[in-house]
Amino acid sequence: MSHHEPTLWDKAKMGLIMGSSVGACLGCLIGFYSTMKFGPGPRGYLGTIGQYALGSGASFGFFMMIGSCIRTDDSVLSAEDRATLRAGMERWRAPTPMAYYFAQNGKSQSK
């Protein structure tokens, strides 16, 4: 029996569904509180609570989808791709403050 990891698209869909459901639940709670405190407004109770639920669900679902894609394991990258990414990160890494100080003053870091 072999185990296959979910693809990036599967992880994106899973993040979207989980985020949308959590966001919709929170939107319902916030919408219910808002309608009880300030009144339903011109859309009525159901329209106002639904608007809160849809807005909150859409935004939270979007960010959860992006977050689940970002957290995708990099084991799908080839060794060459990982080496390229590592070299790029090393090139843009900021020097430590002590290394910068010694480089500017021409001194050695040895003790």
Side-chain angles (χ1 to χ4, degrees):
M1 183 173 191
S2 63
H3 173 66
H4 298 283
E5 284 192 30
T7 63
L8 182 65
W9 178 243
D10 290 336
K11 289 183 181 183
K13 288 189 297 186
M14 194 180 328
L16 179 67
I17 291 169
M18 287 191 308
S20 296
S21 59
V22 169
C25 290
L26 288 175
C28 284
L29 290 174
I30 293 169
F32 181 74
Y33 174 77
S34 176
T35 55
M36 291 300 116
K37 185 168 183 172
F38 301 112
R43 298 178 56 97
Y45 285 103
L46 193 59
T48 303
I49 294 172
Q51 185 177 11
Y52 274 98
L54 285 176
S56 179
S59 60
F60 198 75
F62 174 75
F63 287 115
M64 188 78 164
M65 178 182 69
I66 298 299
S68 64
C69 290
I70 289 173
R71 294 208 26 108
T72 300
D73 193 19
D74 66 343
S75 63
V76 294
L77 295 175
S78 66
E80 182 181 346
D81 291 338
R82 283 195 297 270
T84 303
L85 288 172
R86 196 173 296 120
M89 289 188 309
E90 287 294 323
R91 182 177 59 217
W92 290 104
R93 189 178 67 186
T96 59
M98 291 301 288
Y100 181 77
Y101 171 77
F102 288 123
Q104 292 296 320
N105 294 323
K107 297 180 181 177
S108 169
Q109 281 187 324
S110 62
K111 295 180 179 179

